[in-house]
Amino acid sequence: MSDTTELIRDWIEENISSGMALEGVEVVVTAETADLEPPFIAVYETSADPHESNSVVMYGVTDYEITVELQTVPLDASEGGTGTSDEKAMRSELYDIIANRAAIDWINDREDWRVFDIRQPS
């Protein structure tokens, strides 16, 4: 495995608990072209640039920007959508999964990857 989006997808899938709001929600990466019905989680890379520190490019170190989006239809379940309270629970659970700093150790255990930080740059 070498794709950053696949690593994030795998982390999310491994941390969705049964009986919780995201159970059964599909997680896809950009390259997957399946027909999807909301709700689903999309993971895609928006940029990848060599890391630069003090105007020196650090080759072999890359800053990735990865977006994770929960896609829903804002209608009640009886109308084929995801109700407001369900969507709020899904978003909260997804945030807890992707904000968990244990993701760093989990990803570092995978081949050829070392994560130094998962914070959004200021």
Side-chain angles (χ1 to χ4, degrees):
M1 177 181 314
S2 61
D3 188 21
T4 55
T5 57
E6 290 177 5
L7 285 168
I8 300 300
R9 179 200 52 208
D10 293 349
W11 170 255
I12 293 168
E13 288 177 340
E14 284 200 22
N15 286 276
I16 292 176
S17 301
S18 62
M20 298 301 284
L22 291 173
E23 183 179 21
V25 173
E26 190 168 357
V27 184
V28 296
V29 296
T30 305
E32 297 173 344
T33 57
D35 290 332
L36 298 171
E37 291 290 326
F40 65 89
I41 298 168
V43 181
Y44 55 95
E45 184 178 301
T46 53
S47 70
D49 299 307
H51 182 75
E52 190 173 325
S53 179
N54 298 323
S55 300
V56 175
V57 174
M58 298 178 67
Y59 295 101
V61 178
T62 304
D63 293 331
Y64 289 95
E65 185 173 318
I66 298 171
T67 299
V68 178
E69 294 179 338
L70 174 64
Q71 301 290 323
T72 63
V73 175
L75 298 172
D76 288 331
S78 63
E79 298 175 280
T82 304
T84 304
S85 61
D86 290 338
E87 181 179 5
K88 191 173 188 177
M90 289 175 164
R91 290 192 185 283
S92 177
E93 187 176 329
L94 180 58
Y95 179 83
D96 289 345
I97 291 170
I98 61 175
N100 186 340
R101 293 186 60 82
I104 293 173
D105 292 333
W106 186 88
I107 291 172
N108 284 345
D109 285 341
R110 304 306 178 266
E111 64 181 71
D112 298 328
W113 284 95
R114 293 296 169 261
V115 175
F116 299 109
D117 199 350
I118 60 173
R119 294 176 293 181
Q120 182 171 346
S122 53

